[in-house]
Amino acid sequence: MPNGVDVDVLGECVADTIRYSAQHEVTYPGGSAANVAVGLARLGRRVDFATCLGDDEHGQLMRAHLAREHVYVTNVAAEGTPTPSAVAVLDESGAAAYEFSVTWAEGPNLPAPRGSHLHLGSFPVFLSSAPAELDALLQSVRDHSSLSLDPNVRPELMGDPHRSRERLESVLGFVDVVKASDEDIAWLYDGADAESVARGWLEAGPGLAVVTMGANGCFAVSQHGTCRVPPVRVDVVDTVGAGDTLMAALIDGLMDARTLGPRSSHRLAGLDADELRKVLARAGRAAAINVSRAGANPPSKEELDG
């Protein structure tokens, strides 16, 4: 166990098989929450990652990967639960479409976060067999930890947009920072304007909502208005892990700006437009580095800031 924790992450590991062509596929360790945990560790943060891992080949792959990245792992899986896996099929632009094999089943007790910030992946929110236990955990950490969330929509797993939207909005009251893609919002809100949805989220509780738009960059809405950041142009190998890398760099940048941690809502409200733009631009650079190489492969602090 690490000496002190900066960030706790609760969420999914997924063994991602990337099918580049009918003749070429490679299995990478992945999963949105795992990618965020690794991204934060590469940026120098001490990370405690609670996830569901099976006693199987994919679980061994994930454990070895997270150990190499100096991410401490707490396995919360119920006995006999397999490690989630997915096959990602790439189109000509490098964008991935996923086919999942997923069981998310926690054991009876979720660990109490030990750091000053908790990042929440999508599987515990939308696929949990014990949502009331998760909500109780989130309520219990409000006084000593800020919270971020990436809904990371997976229609194949989540099924009903209306039910998923209700679940998301029930959790937003605990959340300080929410990040979603424009595609996530379109699925959850039946094609509604992404900026309007993000602004509505602020009324539910978060102090900051960030929306990524792929090749069109990203924007954030806060009490001070809307901040837009253009994309960083790179040669794209694939887009796997781009949003997760941006999420990790966003958390890291907001921590550097001293806007996360206990009772962070007031500090997020005080984040001025120039500082927010710097944080967003840096997060966008991190995502650009990731998409310039295969699989989820976020940059180190030296690559990003050097």
Side-chain angles (χ1 to χ4, degrees):
M1 183 175 292
N3 294 321
V5 172
D6 297 316
V7 183
D8 294 276
V9 178
L10 171 60
E12 61 275 14
C13 284
V14 181
D16 284 329
T17 298
I18 311 298
R19 187 168 295 158
Y20 295 98
S21 69
Q23 294 77 35
H24 178 50
E25 63 181 36
V26 182
T27 299
Y28 298 98
S32 178
N35 294 339
V36 173
V38 169
L40 284 162
R42 290 189 180 182
L43 293 174
R45 300 294 176 181
R46 294 165 296 181
V47 182
D48 193 345
F49 180 34
T51 190
C52 287
L53 287 170
D55 185 17
D56 50 28
E57 185 176 348
H58 286 153
Q60 294 172 10
L61 174 73
M62 293 303 314
R63 287 181 176 90
H65 169 63
L66 294 164
R68 286 193 301 271
E69 299 292 346
H70 307 289
V71 173
Y72 179 78
V73 176
T74 301
N75 190 10
V76 299
E79 186 174 356
T81 302
T83 305
S85 62
V87 176
V89 180
L90 303 180
D91 65 18
E92 293 181 356
S93 71
Y98 290 87
E99 302 170 3
F100 288 93
S101 177
V102 168
T103 300
W104 179 267
E106 311 100 320
N109 296 302
L110 292 174
R114 300 186 300 119
S116 62
H117 183 76
L118 169 63
H119 176 68
L120 189 61
S122 67
F123 283 20
V125 174
F126 298 108
L127 305 182
S128 174
S129 57
E133 182 178 338
L134 174 65
D135 291 356
L137 174 70
L138 301 182
Q139 179 65 50
S140 72
V141 304
R142 289 295 295 144
D143 287 340
H144 61 81
S145 179
S146 51
L147 178 68
S148 58
L149 168 65
D150 180 358
N152 195 38
V153 163
R154 295 290 182 248
E156 305 90 340
L157 300 175
M158 293 162 61
D160 178 16
H162 178 73
R163 185 180 61 192
S164 298
R165 181 171 68 249
E166 287 184 339
R167 178 59 181 147
L168 170 64
E169 292 176 350
S170 75
V171 172
L172 283 178
F174 303 113
V175 171
D176 298 290
V177 178
V178 57
K179 190 278 295 181
S181 72
D182 54 354
E183 293 179 346
D184 292 339
I185 292 173
W187 186 82
L188 287 164
Y189 290 87
D190 194 25
D193 175 70
E195 185 172 347
S196 298
V197 171
R199 192 152 297 284
W201 285 346
L202 296 188
E203 298 176 5
L208 183 68
V210 175
V211 178
T212 60
M213 301 180 294
N216 294 315
C218 65
F219 68 86
V221 295
S222 70
Q223 292 185 14
H224 299 292
T226 302
C227 175
R228 299 184 183 277
V229 172
V232 179
R233 301 298 180 187
V234 294
D235 292 330
V236 175
V237 174
D238 65 55
T239 62
V240 177
D244 308 325
T245 297
L246 185 143
M247 183 83 248
L250 176 66
I251 294 169
D252 181 66
L254 291 172
M255 293 182 78
D256 280 346
R258 302 186 182 279
T259 56
L260 296 182
R263 303 186 184 279
S264 67
S265 57
H266 297 300
R267 281 176 285 163
L268 280 167
L271 187 65
D272 65 41
D274 287 341
E275 187 70 24
L276 177 56
R277 187 170 290 104
K278 290 177 184 177
V279 171
L280 280 181
R282 179 175 180 266
R285 291 197 304 274
I289 293 171
N290 180 86
V291 302
S292 71
R293 47 205 195 188
N297 192 355
S300 66
K301 188 173 184 63
E302 291 72 24
E303 288 177 303
L304 183 56
D305 298 329

